[in-house]
Amino acid sequence: MSDKKPSKSQVKARLPKGMRDVEAQELRALKHMLDTISEVYERYGFEPLDTPAFEYTDALGKFLPDTDRPNEGVFSFQDEDEQWVSMRYDLTAPLARYVAQNFDATPKPFRRYQTGYVYRNEKPGPGRFRQFMQFDADTVGTANPAADAEMCMLAADTLEALRIPRGSYVIKVSSRKILDGVMEGIGLGGPQNTARRLAVLRTIDKADKFPLSEIKKLLGTGRIDESGDFTKGAGLDETQIKILCDFLFAAEIKFYDLNDAHPYIVSGDEYINDCGWTYSNIATLASLSPFLQSSKVGEAAVYELEKIFQLSAISGYGSKRIRFDPTVVRGLEYYTGPVFEAELTFPATDESGQTVRFGSVGGGGRYDGLVSRFRSQPVPATGFSIGVSRLYAALSHLGKIGAAKAAGPVVVLVMDKARVGDYQRMAKQLRDAGIRAEMYVGDAGMKAQMKYADKRGSPCVIILGEDERAKGEVTIKDLLEGARLSGEISDHSEWKEARPAQFSVSEGDLVAAVQKLLEQQAKA
RNA sequence: GCCGCUGUAGCUCAGUUGGUUAGAGCACCAGAUUGUGGAUCUGGGGGUCGCCCGUUCGAGCCGGGCCAGCGGUACCA
């Protein structure tokens, strides 16, 4: 009977669902990306802020834990005073808490940017995690559409700063009010229709996911998905569906002949496509009045959107970059006016060669109700949020992420354990010269140390054994050159004899020789 | 939450109508080579065949339940 079976107490090493580790190469690239975004936000005058990873649940608003589902959507727990706390699920709710708490001390409008991980307790999917990073900019304390226009321009500038070429992205803009106006026009106004309005909004939000035929089913009786599951529809009748779809598509890229001088086209707003046709946000907006049936909210929406498009046009952001799109909906009971979505428009191929669309990498809008939860006076606010992880994934597909692995450290081999002091000193000399270097701190023999240096991606190793000591020299082995030469040799003893790609210098010349080698490698 | 599919080594997978001690490739470790990363050869570690119950003389394989993963869908600040 052998008792070699692993003990039951041995813990299985595993990652919680929806979480992931970020390793060296990605972490470096991510840091660079965050720095780039910060620069743009700083340039717009936003101030950095950091808030904690969890808050009192009531401060976050929604998803108050109830007895049967205390963790629906958010991660919540009770502290020792039995107060409910929740992990933040975005950066906006904590901002609202911060502004309300420091209201008198903050300048209005208050402009802040913030990045950090947020947490959602929901089913993870491809590219969708339970911990992920957002990067937000918000302006609190003004209802001026100029603040919304600025969010769109900020989004465009940020994507370009990350080297996404103009034309490969679009900032889509709409307004919750304009949809409210249209729905009012088809008889869905009033509190008795709240549930149906939400169902309609949910459906419109899926316009980029499903073809028109499926959207129509969802607006009507319902739809059966490919696994056979049935989704109940919004229950609109044929006429209502037709008007709604006409509206959504009336605004879908409407081009004008250049020769028909259109009274509403503002200089800078037009976008001329490959065929020489011109599209204009403002002209498109003007054509929508039949759908709004002189609805008050509808008119207000058109006014706000016109302002946004005028300002962005005057600043040189045309319809090609910031574009009206009535299918943008976003958060249901959250946004109160203009809404934005940053979309990448280029196709990409994934590992298996399939074409994938990245779609939305950020979004935002006006949320006039959030801060006023804490105060009696109204506090209008607007903001934009970048989904950092998704954008990172898109950028690496685009090849905009520095793909080169950071060079590993120069490794000083430990040839004689009695003389670690000498090796440590050499490592320090190299570091003092600004070279990334380390003494091997394991216990293995020389061969294993060579393997270690190879795996670390070291440019070279430093060898100081008995032979070198006798001559007052050190040997520098160029691992990159060695790897190249190894391809030409098939016999091991020959490989060993040749000792390729190494040379010796006197001990005092170590740093200069390594520096020279690194320069040569950098050129090659 | 609902629907569907899939669970065999760290990874990718084989495993006959149910039949001895469950295999391969890759990866990992060691030796050949006690001072040299590659290649080669030799050896080694690693598995409750997702878990439990049942059928059977006998289950990785058949049946039921559960769990996990993936996909779709719903919800989504």
Side-chain angles (χ1 to χ4, degrees), chain A residues 50-57 60 74-77 85-91 93-94 97 114-120 130-132:
Chain A
D50 195 29
T51 62
F54 60 81
E55 299 269 353
Y56 285 121
T57 299
L60 289 183
V74 296
F75 294 101
S76 300
F77 53 96
V85 292
S86 297
M87 304 298 291
R88 63 184 178 198
Y89 51 79
D90 69 11
L91 299 175
R97 188 226 87 217
Q114 179 172 359
T115 185
Y117 282 113
V118 300
Y119 303 84
R120 293 186 189 178
R130 301 208 292 184
Q131 172 185 273
F132 58 98

PDB file of all heavy atoms in Angstrom, chain A residues 50-57 60 74-77 85-91 93-94 97 114-120 130-132:
ATOM      1  N   ASP A  50      -9.122  59.879  -7.177  1.00  0.00           N
ATOM      2  CA  ASP A  50      -9.237  58.451  -6.920  1.00  0.00           C
ATOM      3  C   ASP A  50     -10.214  58.247  -5.772  1.00  0.00           C
ATOM      4  O   ASP A  50     -10.223  59.035  -4.831  1.00  0.00           O
ATOM      5  CB  ASP A  50      -7.871  57.842  -6.577  1.00  0.00           C
ATOM      6  CG  ASP A  50      -7.898  56.329  -6.672  1.00  0.00           C
ATOM      7  OD1 ASP A  50      -8.688  55.799  -7.480  1.00  0.00           O
ATOM      8  OD2 ASP A  50      -7.134  55.665  -5.945  1.00  0.00           O
ATOM      9  N   THR A  51     -11.022  57.231  -5.892  1.00  0.00           N
ATOM     10  CA  THR A  51     -11.973  56.904  -4.833  1.00  0.00           C
ATOM     11  C   THR A  51     -11.833  55.418  -4.542  1.00  0.00           C
ATOM     12  O   THR A  51     -11.281  54.674  -5.356  1.00  0.00           O
ATOM     13  CB  THR A  51     -13.425  57.225  -5.266  1.00  0.00           C
ATOM     14  OG1 THR A  51     -13.760  56.414  -6.388  1.00  0.00           O
ATOM     15  CG2 THR A  51     -13.597  58.690  -5.639  1.00  0.00           C
ATOM     16  N   PRO A  52     -12.333  54.958  -3.396  1.00  0.00           N
ATOM     17  CA  PRO A  52     -12.109  53.558  -3.012  1.00  0.00           C
ATOM     18  C   PRO A  52     -12.864  52.558  -3.880  1.00  0.00           C
ATOM     19  O   PRO A  52     -13.795  52.919  -4.599  1.00  0.00           O
ATOM     20  CB  PRO A  52     -12.600  53.499  -1.573  1.00  0.00           C
ATOM     21  CG  PRO A  52     -13.346  54.738  -1.322  1.00  0.00           C
ATOM     22  CD  PRO A  52     -12.994  55.739  -2.344  1.00  0.00           C
ATOM     23  N   ALA A  53     -12.421  51.306  -3.752  1.00  0.00           N
ATOM     24  CA  ALA A  53     -13.001  50.240  -4.568  1.00  0.00           C
ATOM     25  C   ALA A  53     -14.393  49.853  -4.103  1.00  0.00           C
ATOM     26  O   ALA A  53     -15.159  49.289  -4.872  1.00  0.00           O
ATOM     27  CB  ALA A  53     -12.089  49.015  -4.559  1.00  0.00           C
ATOM     28  N   PHE A  54     -14.734  50.113  -2.834  1.00  0.00           N
ATOM     29  CA  PHE A  54     -16.129  49.884  -2.472  1.00  0.00           C
ATOM     30  C   PHE A  54     -16.694  51.050  -1.679  1.00  0.00           C
ATOM     31  O   PHE A  54     -15.960  51.866  -1.128  1.00  0.00           O
ATOM     32  CB  PHE A  54     -16.349  48.536  -1.780  1.00  0.00           C
ATOM     33  CG  PHE A  54     -15.595  48.306  -0.503  1.00  0.00           C
ATOM     34  CD1 PHE A  54     -16.049  48.825   0.701  1.00  0.00           C
ATOM     35  CD2 PHE A  54     -14.449  47.520  -0.504  1.00  0.00           C
ATOM     36  CE1 PHE A  54     -15.364  48.580   1.876  1.00  0.00           C
ATOM     37  CE2 PHE A  54     -13.752  47.278   0.683  1.00  0.00           C
ATOM     38  CZ  PHE A  54     -14.210  47.809   1.869  1.00  0.00           C
ATOM     39  N   GLU A  55     -18.008  51.114  -1.659  1.00  0.00           N
ATOM     40  CA  GLU A  55     -18.757  52.228  -1.083  1.00  0.00           C
ATOM     41  C   GLU A  55     -19.912  51.623  -0.297  1.00  0.00           C
ATOM     42  O   GLU A  55     -20.276  50.458  -0.491  1.00  0.00           O
ATOM     43  CB  GLU A  55     -19.346  53.104  -2.208  1.00  0.00           C
ATOM     44  CG  GLU A  55     -18.325  53.748  -3.141  1.00  0.00           C
ATOM     45  CD  GLU A  55     -17.886  55.131  -2.666  1.00  0.00           C
ATOM     46  OE1 GLU A  55     -18.470  55.641  -1.688  1.00  0.00           O
ATOM     47  OE2 GLU A  55     -16.956  55.691  -3.280  1.00  0.00           O
ATOM     48  N   TYR A  56     -20.520  52.441   0.539  1.00  0.00           N
ATOM     49  CA  TYR A  56     -21.773  51.995   1.143  1.00  0.00           C
ATOM     50  C   TYR A  56     -22.777  51.767   0.025  1.00  0.00           C
ATOM     51  O   TYR A  56     -22.854  52.539  -0.935  1.00  0.00           O
ATOM     52  CB  TYR A  56     -22.298  53.023   2.135  1.00  0.00           C
ATOM     53  CG  TYR A  56     -21.508  53.022   3.424  1.00  0.00           C
ATOM     54  CD1 TYR A  56     -20.857  54.162   3.854  1.00  0.00           C
ATOM     55  CD2 TYR A  56     -21.411  51.859   4.178  1.00  0.00           C
ATOM     56  CE1 TYR A  56     -20.124  54.156   5.038  1.00  0.00           C
ATOM     57  CE2 TYR A  56     -20.672  51.842   5.352  1.00  0.00           C
ATOM     58  CZ  TYR A  56     -20.039  52.988   5.774  1.00  0.00           C
ATOM     59  OH  TYR A  56     -19.305  52.967   6.924  1.00  0.00           O
ATOM     60  N   THR A  57     -23.495  50.684   0.142  1.00  0.00           N
ATOM     61  CA  THR A  57     -24.383  50.274  -0.934  1.00  0.00           C
ATOM     62  C   THR A  57     -25.401  51.357  -1.306  1.00  0.00           C
ATOM     63  O   THR A  57     -25.651  51.602  -2.485  1.00  0.00           O
ATOM     64  CB  THR A  57     -25.104  48.974  -0.540  1.00  0.00           C
ATOM     65  OG1 THR A  57     -24.116  47.968  -0.333  1.00  0.00           O
ATOM     66  CG2 THR A  57     -26.061  48.525  -1.615  1.00  0.00           C
ATOM     67  N   LEU A  60     -24.144  53.913  -3.751  1.00  0.00           N
ATOM     68  CA  LEU A  60     -24.016  53.528  -5.153  1.00  0.00           C
ATOM     69  C   LEU A  60     -25.369  53.552  -5.856  1.00  0.00           C
ATOM     70  O   LEU A  60     -25.433  53.467  -7.081  1.00  0.00           O
ATOM     71  CB  LEU A  60     -23.401  52.131  -5.278  1.00  0.00           C
ATOM     72  CG  LEU A  60     -21.928  52.032  -4.924  1.00  0.00           C
ATOM     73  CD1 LEU A  60     -21.419  50.617  -5.171  1.00  0.00           C
ATOM     74  CD2 LEU A  60     -21.099  53.019  -5.737  1.00  0.00           C
ATOM     75  N   VAL A  74     -24.066  43.284  -8.452  1.00  0.00           N
ATOM     76  CA  VAL A  74     -22.884  43.842  -7.789  1.00  0.00           C
ATOM     77  C   VAL A  74     -22.410  42.894  -6.701  1.00  0.00           C
ATOM     78  O   VAL A  74     -23.164  42.059  -6.209  1.00  0.00           O
ATOM     79  CB  VAL A  74     -23.179  45.219  -7.161  1.00  0.00           C
ATOM     80  CG1 VAL A  74     -23.536  46.235  -8.206  1.00  0.00           C
ATOM     81  CG2 VAL A  74     -24.281  45.099  -6.127  1.00  0.00           C
ATOM     82  N   PHE A  75     -21.152  43.015  -6.336  1.00  0.00           N
ATOM     83  CA  PHE A  75     -20.625  42.253  -5.207  1.00  0.00           C
ATOM     84  C   PHE A  75     -20.868  43.059  -3.939  1.00  0.00           C
ATOM     85  O   PHE A  75     -20.404  44.197  -3.836  1.00  0.00           O
ATOM     86  CB  PHE A  75     -19.129  42.013  -5.382  1.00  0.00           C
ATOM     87  CG  PHE A  75     -18.791  41.137  -6.547  1.00  0.00           C
ATOM     88  CD1 PHE A  75     -18.340  41.685  -7.737  1.00  0.00           C
ATOM     89  CD2 PHE A  75     -18.919  39.764  -6.448  1.00  0.00           C
ATOM     90  CE1 PHE A  75     -18.028  40.879  -8.809  1.00  0.00           C
ATOM     91  CE2 PHE A  75     -18.608  38.954  -7.520  1.00  0.00           C
ATOM     92  CZ  PHE A  75     -18.161  39.511  -8.710  1.00  0.00           C
ATOM     93  N   SER A  76     -21.596  42.489  -3.028  1.00  0.00           N
ATOM     94  CA  SER A  76     -21.925  43.206  -1.801  1.00  0.00           C
ATOM     95  C   SER A  76     -21.622  42.336  -0.591  1.00  0.00           C
ATOM     96  O   SER A  76     -21.656  41.111  -0.673  1.00  0.00           O
ATOM     97  CB  SER A  76     -23.411  43.575  -1.782  1.00  0.00           C
ATOM     98  OG  SER A  76     -23.730  44.389  -2.881  1.00  0.00           O
ATOM     99  N   PHE A  77     -21.330  42.975   0.506  1.00  0.00           N
ATOM    100  CA  PHE A  77     -21.164  42.250   1.768  1.00  0.00           C
ATOM    101  C   PHE A  77     -21.414  43.220   2.912  1.00  0.00           C
ATOM    102  O   PHE A  77     -21.483  44.434   2.712  1.00  0.00           O
ATOM    103  CB  PHE A  77     -19.771  41.619   1.868  1.00  0.00           C
ATOM    104  CG  PHE A  77     -18.629  42.582   1.641  1.00  0.00           C
ATOM    105  CD1 PHE A  77     -17.992  43.189   2.715  1.00  0.00           C
ATOM    106  CD2 PHE A  77     -18.205  42.875   0.349  1.00  0.00           C
ATOM    107  CE1 PHE A  77     -16.940  44.069   2.493  1.00  0.00           C
ATOM    108  CE2 PHE A  77     -17.160  43.753   0.132  1.00  0.00           C
ATOM    109  CZ  PHE A  77     -16.523  44.352   1.198  1.00  0.00           C
ATOM    110  N   VAL A  85     -22.002  47.113   2.203  1.00  0.00           N
ATOM    111  CA  VAL A  85     -21.089  47.813   1.293  1.00  0.00           C
ATOM    112  C   VAL A  85     -21.047  47.045  -0.019  1.00  0.00           C
ATOM    113  O   VAL A  85     -21.293  45.837  -0.058  1.00  0.00           O
ATOM    114  CB  VAL A  85     -19.668  47.948   1.874  1.00  0.00           C
ATOM    115  CG1 VAL A  85     -19.652  48.879   3.069  1.00  0.00           C
ATOM    116  CG2 VAL A  85     -19.099  46.603   2.236  1.00  0.00           C
ATOM    117  N   SER A  86     -20.735  47.755  -1.120  1.00  0.00           N
ATOM    118  CA  SER A  86     -20.706  47.128  -2.441  1.00  0.00           C
ATOM    119  C   SER A  86     -19.472  47.572  -3.203  1.00  0.00           C
ATOM    120  O   SER A  86     -19.052  48.724  -3.102  1.00  0.00           O
ATOM    121  CB  SER A  86     -21.944  47.538  -3.256  1.00  0.00           C
ATOM    122  OG  SER A  86     -23.122  47.065  -2.633  1.00  0.00           O
ATOM    123  N   MET A  87     -18.929  46.629  -3.963  1.00  0.00           N
ATOM    124  CA  MET A  87     -17.832  46.991  -4.865  1.00  0.00           C
ATOM    125  C   MET A  87     -18.386  47.944  -5.925  1.00  0.00           C
ATOM    126  O   MET A  87     -19.497  47.742  -6.419  1.00  0.00           O
ATOM    127  CB  MET A  87     -17.279  45.748  -5.565  1.00  0.00           C
ATOM    128  CG  MET A  87     -16.819  44.634  -4.629  1.00  0.00           C
ATOM    129  SD  MET A  87     -15.472  45.122  -3.553  1.00  0.00           S
ATOM    130  CE  MET A  87     -14.131  45.275  -4.735  1.00  0.00           C
ATOM    131  N   ARG A  88     -17.619  48.945  -6.285  1.00  0.00           N
ATOM    132  CA  ARG A  88     -18.106  49.906  -7.284  1.00  0.00           C
ATOM    133  C   ARG A  88     -18.281  49.193  -8.627  1.00  0.00           C
ATOM    134  O   ARG A  88     -17.447  48.370  -9.020  1.00  0.00           O
ATOM    135  CB  ARG A  88     -17.125  51.066  -7.425  1.00  0.00           C
ATOM    136  CG  ARG A  88     -15.749  50.653  -7.931  1.00  0.00           C
ATOM    137  CD  ARG A  88     -14.801  51.823  -7.962  1.00  0.00           C
ATOM    138  NE  ARG A  88     -13.476  51.408  -8.393  1.00  0.00           N
ATOM    139  CZ  ARG A  88     -12.373  52.127  -8.192  1.00  0.00           C
ATOM    140  NH1 ARG A  88     -12.432  53.292  -7.565  1.00  0.00           N
ATOM    141  NH2 ARG A  88     -11.213  51.686  -8.620  1.00  0.00           N
ATOM    142  N   TYR A  89     -19.358  49.496  -9.317  1.00  0.00           N
ATOM    143  CA  TYR A  89     -19.610  48.875 -10.622  1.00  0.00           C
ATOM    144  C   TYR A  89     -19.368  49.865 -11.746  1.00  0.00           C
ATOM    145  O   TYR A  89     -19.450  49.515 -12.933  1.00  0.00           O
ATOM    146  CB  TYR A  89     -21.030  48.313 -10.685  1.00  0.00           C
ATOM    147  CG  TYR A  89     -22.090  49.298 -10.268  1.00  0.00           C
ATOM    148  CD1 TYR A  89     -22.521  50.286 -11.156  1.00  0.00           C
ATOM    149  CD2 TYR A  89     -22.623  49.278  -8.990  1.00  0.00           C
ATOM    150  CE1 TYR A  89     -23.468  51.203 -10.768  1.00  0.00           C
ATOM    151  CE2 TYR A  89     -23.565  50.195  -8.597  1.00  0.00           C
ATOM    152  CZ  TYR A  89     -23.987  51.160  -9.486  1.00  0.00           C
ATOM    153  OH  TYR A  89     -24.926  52.085  -9.101  1.00  0.00           O
ATOM    154  N   ASP A  90     -19.105  51.122 -11.403  1.00  0.00           N
ATOM    155  CA  ASP A  90     -18.612  52.098 -12.371  1.00  0.00           C
ATOM    156  C   ASP A  90     -17.932  53.201 -11.568  1.00  0.00           C
ATOM    157  O   ASP A  90     -17.824  53.097 -10.347  1.00  0.00           O
ATOM    158  CB  ASP A  90     -19.731  52.633 -13.277  1.00  0.00           C
ATOM    159  CG  ASP A  90     -20.745  53.507 -12.546  1.00  0.00           C
ATOM    160  OD1 ASP A  90     -20.499  53.891 -11.381  1.00  0.00           O
ATOM    161  OD2 ASP A  90     -21.787  53.808 -13.151  1.00  0.00           O
ATOM    162  N   LEU A  91     -17.450  54.229 -12.252  1.00  0.00           N
ATOM    163  CA  LEU A  91     -16.758  55.299 -11.543  1.00  0.00           C
ATOM    164  C   LEU A  91     -17.643  56.526 -11.385  1.00  0.00           C
ATOM    165  O   LEU A  91     -17.248  57.508 -10.757  1.00  0.00           O
ATOM    166  CB  LEU A  91     -15.468  55.675 -12.293  1.00  0.00           C
ATOM    167  CG  LEU A  91     -14.446  54.545 -12.419  1.00  0.00           C
ATOM    168  CD1 LEU A  91     -13.267  54.975 -13.276  1.00  0.00           C
ATOM    169  CD2 LEU A  91     -13.965  54.114 -11.043  1.00  0.00           C
ATOM    170  N   ALA A  93     -20.968  56.634 -10.130  1.00  0.00           N
ATOM    171  CA  ALA A  93     -21.704  56.680  -8.872  1.00  0.00           C
ATOM    172  C   ALA A  93     -20.810  57.163  -7.723  1.00  0.00           C
ATOM    173  O   ALA A  93     -21.222  58.023  -6.936  1.00  0.00           O
ATOM    174  CB  ALA A  93     -22.326  55.320  -8.576  1.00  0.00           C
ATOM    175  N   PRO A  94     -19.570  56.656  -7.620  1.00  0.00           N
ATOM    176  CA  PRO A  94     -18.684  57.203  -6.585  1.00  0.00           C
ATOM    177  C   PRO A  94     -18.399  58.695  -6.789  1.00  0.00           C
ATOM    178  O   PRO A  94     -18.265  59.432  -5.812  1.00  0.00           O
ATOM    179  CB  PRO A  94     -17.406  56.382  -6.740  1.00  0.00           C
ATOM    180  CG  PRO A  94     -17.839  55.108  -7.359  1.00  0.00           C
ATOM    181  CD  PRO A  94     -18.975  55.475  -8.264  1.00  0.00           C
ATOM    182  N   ARG A  97     -21.206  60.605  -5.325  1.00  0.00           N
ATOM    183  CA  ARG A  97     -21.059  60.628  -3.867  1.00  0.00           C
ATOM    184  C   ARG A  97     -20.007  61.655  -3.450  1.00  0.00           C
ATOM    185  O   ARG A  97     -20.210  62.456  -2.532  1.00  0.00           O
ATOM    186  CB  ARG A  97     -20.656  59.238  -3.379  1.00  0.00           C
ATOM    187  CG  ARG A  97     -20.651  59.050  -1.892  1.00  0.00           C
ATOM    188  CD  ARG A  97     -19.375  58.326  -1.460  1.00  0.00           C
ATOM    189  NE  ARG A  97     -18.308  59.286  -1.242  1.00  0.00           N
ATOM    190  CZ  ARG A  97     -17.040  59.101  -1.542  1.00  0.00           C
ATOM    191  NH1 ARG A  97     -16.637  57.996  -2.121  1.00  0.00           N
ATOM    192  NH2 ARG A  97     -16.156  60.014  -1.296  1.00  0.00           N
ATOM    193  N   GLN A 114     -10.662  59.889 -13.913  1.00  0.00           N
ATOM    194  CA  GLN A 114     -10.388  58.824 -12.962  1.00  0.00           C
ATOM    195  C   GLN A 114     -10.282  57.502 -13.701  1.00  0.00           C
ATOM    196  O   GLN A 114     -11.037  57.243 -14.640  1.00  0.00           O
ATOM    197  CB  GLN A 114     -11.533  58.753 -11.938  1.00  0.00           C
ATOM    198  CG  GLN A 114     -11.375  57.673 -10.900  1.00  0.00           C
ATOM    199  CD  GLN A 114     -12.425  57.768  -9.797  1.00  0.00           C
ATOM    200  OE1 GLN A 114     -13.261  58.664  -9.823  1.00  0.00           O
ATOM    201  NE2 GLN A 114     -12.369  56.864  -8.840  1.00  0.00           N
ATOM    202  N   THR A 115      -9.350  56.663 -13.256  1.00  0.00           N
ATOM    203  CA  THR A 115      -9.276  55.317 -13.817  1.00  0.00           C
ATOM    204  C   THR A 115      -9.156  54.316 -12.691  1.00  0.00           C
ATOM    205  O   THR A 115      -8.667  54.662 -11.611  1.00  0.00           O
ATOM    206  CB  THR A 115      -8.105  55.156 -14.804  1.00  0.00           C
ATOM    207  OG1 THR A 115      -8.170  53.852 -15.389  1.00  0.00           O
ATOM    208  CG2 THR A 115      -6.755  55.313 -14.110  1.00  0.00           C
ATOM    209  N   GLY A 116      -9.606  53.123 -12.932  1.00  0.00           N
ATOM    210  CA  GLY A 116      -9.496  52.082 -11.922  1.00  0.00           C
ATOM    211  C   GLY A 116     -10.338  50.881 -12.297  1.00  0.00           C
ATOM    212  O   GLY A 116     -11.098  50.916 -13.265  1.00  0.00           O
ATOM    213  N   TYR A 117     -10.174  49.824 -11.505  1.00  0.00           N
ATOM    214  CA  TYR A 117     -10.973  48.627 -11.743  1.00  0.00           C
ATOM    215  C   TYR A 117     -12.373  48.822 -11.189  1.00  0.00           C
ATOM    216  O   TYR A 117     -12.556  49.440 -10.142  1.00  0.00           O
ATOM    217  CB  TYR A 117     -10.332  47.416 -11.077  1.00  0.00           C
ATOM    218  CG  TYR A 117      -9.166  46.859 -11.849  1.00  0.00           C
ATOM    219  CD1 TYR A 117      -7.871  46.922 -11.355  1.00  0.00           C
ATOM    220  CD2 TYR A 117      -9.368  46.266 -13.095  1.00  0.00           C
ATOM    221  CE1 TYR A 117      -6.794  46.417 -12.070  1.00  0.00           C
ATOM    222  CE2 TYR A 117      -8.310  45.754 -13.816  1.00  0.00           C
ATOM    223  CZ  TYR A 117      -7.024  45.831 -13.300  1.00  0.00           C
ATOM    224  OH  TYR A 117      -5.983  45.321 -14.018  1.00  0.00           O
ATOM    225  N   VAL A 118     -13.350  48.285 -11.898  1.00  0.00           N
ATOM    226  CA  VAL A 118     -14.717  48.235 -11.399  1.00  0.00           C
ATOM    227  C   VAL A 118     -15.171  46.778 -11.461  1.00  0.00           C
ATOM    228  O   VAL A 118     -14.537  45.961 -12.135  1.00  0.00           O
ATOM    229  CB  VAL A 118     -15.661  49.164 -12.199  1.00  0.00           C
ATOM    230  CG1 VAL A 118     -15.203  50.599 -12.113  1.00  0.00           C
ATOM    231  CG2 VAL A 118     -15.777  48.709 -13.641  1.00  0.00           C
ATOM    232  N   TYR A 119     -16.244  46.458 -10.754  1.00  0.00           N
ATOM    233  CA  TYR A 119     -16.611  45.060 -10.521  1.00  0.00           C
ATOM    234  C   TYR A 119     -18.081  44.825 -10.806  1.00  0.00           C
ATOM    235  O   TYR A 119     -18.921  45.592 -10.362  1.00  0.00           O
ATOM    236  CB  TYR A 119     -16.310  44.699  -9.057  1.00  0.00           C
ATOM    237  CG  TYR A 119     -14.869  44.950  -8.711  1.00  0.00           C
ATOM    238  CD1 TYR A 119     -14.443  46.226  -8.338  1.00  0.00           C
ATOM    239  CD2 TYR A 119     -13.931  43.945  -8.818  1.00  0.00           C
ATOM    240  CE1 TYR A 119     -13.109  46.476  -8.059  1.00  0.00           C
ATOM    241  CE2 TYR A 119     -12.596  44.175  -8.548  1.00  0.00           C
ATOM    242  CZ  TYR A 119     -12.193  45.448  -8.166  1.00  0.00           C
ATOM    243  OH  TYR A 119     -10.874  45.693  -7.911  1.00  0.00           O
ATOM    244  N   ARG A 120     -18.348  43.787 -11.567  1.00  0.00           N
ATOM    245  CA  ARG A 120     -19.743  43.451 -11.817  1.00  0.00           C
ATOM    246  C   ARG A 120     -19.950  41.959 -11.612  1.00  0.00           C
ATOM    247  O   ARG A 120     -19.195  41.147 -12.146  1.00  0.00           O
ATOM    248  CB  ARG A 120     -20.154  43.854 -13.237  1.00  0.00           C
ATOM    249  CG  ARG A 120     -20.133  45.365 -13.359  1.00  0.00           C
ATOM    250  CD  ARG A 120     -20.652  45.882 -14.654  1.00  0.00           C
ATOM    251  NE  ARG A 120     -20.384  47.319 -14.718  1.00  0.00           N
ATOM    252  CZ  ARG A 120     -20.686  48.097 -15.748  1.00  0.00           C
ATOM    253  NH1 ARG A 120     -21.278  47.577 -16.805  1.00  0.00           N
ATOM    254  NH2 ARG A 120     -20.406  49.374 -15.724  1.00  0.00           N
ATOM    255  N   ARG A 130     -15.387  40.166 -14.787  1.00  0.00           N
ATOM    256  CA  ARG A 130     -16.075  40.645 -13.591  1.00  0.00           C
ATOM    257  C   ARG A 130     -15.257  41.720 -12.878  1.00  0.00           C
ATOM    258  O   ARG A 130     -15.747  42.390 -11.997  1.00  0.00           O
ATOM    259  CB  ARG A 130     -16.391  39.470 -12.662  1.00  0.00           C
ATOM    260  CG  ARG A 130     -17.266  38.438 -13.382  1.00  0.00           C
ATOM    261  CD  ARG A 130     -18.134  37.667 -12.446  1.00  0.00           C
ATOM    262  NE  ARG A 130     -17.358  36.794 -11.587  1.00  0.00           N
ATOM    263  CZ  ARG A 130     -17.905  35.956 -10.720  1.00  0.00           C
ATOM    264  NH1 ARG A 130     -19.213  35.895 -10.599  1.00  0.00           N
ATOM    265  NH2 ARG A 130     -17.150  35.198  -9.981  1.00  0.00           N
ATOM    266  N   GLN A 131     -13.987  41.810 -13.247  1.00  0.00           N
ATOM    267  CA  GLN A 131     -13.187  42.961 -12.843  1.00  0.00           C
ATOM    268  C   GLN A 131     -12.596  43.547 -14.112  1.00  0.00           C
ATOM    269  O   GLN A 131     -11.936  42.834 -14.864  1.00  0.00           O
ATOM    270  CB  GLN A 131     -12.056  42.548 -11.899  1.00  0.00           C
ATOM    271  CG  GLN A 131     -11.091  43.692 -11.603  1.00  0.00           C
ATOM    272  CD  GLN A 131      -9.900  43.268 -10.771  1.00  0.00           C
ATOM    273  OE1 GLN A 131      -9.949  43.254  -9.563  1.00  0.00           O
ATOM    274  NE2 GLN A 131      -8.811  42.907 -11.443  1.00  0.00           N
ATOM    275  N   PHE A 132     -12.840  44.804 -14.361  1.00  0.00           N
ATOM    276  CA  PHE A 132     -12.272  45.413 -15.557  1.00  0.00           C
ATOM    277  C   PHE A 132     -12.037  46.889 -15.307  1.00  0.00           C
ATOM    278  O   PHE A 132     -12.489  47.457 -14.319  1.00  0.00           O
ATOM    279  CB  PHE A 132     -13.188  45.191 -16.767  1.00  0.00           C
ATOM    280  CG  PHE A 132     -14.576  45.736 -16.596  1.00  0.00           C
ATOM    281  CD1 PHE A 132     -14.914  46.971 -17.115  1.00  0.00           C
ATOM    282  CD2 PHE A 132     -15.543  45.020 -15.915  1.00  0.00           C
ATOM    283  CE1 PHE A 132     -16.193  47.490 -16.960  1.00  0.00           C
ATOM    284  CE2 PHE A 132     -16.818  45.528 -15.748  1.00  0.00           C
ATOM    285  CZ  PHE A 132     -17.150  46.758 -16.274  1.00  0.00           C
TER     286      PHE A 132
END
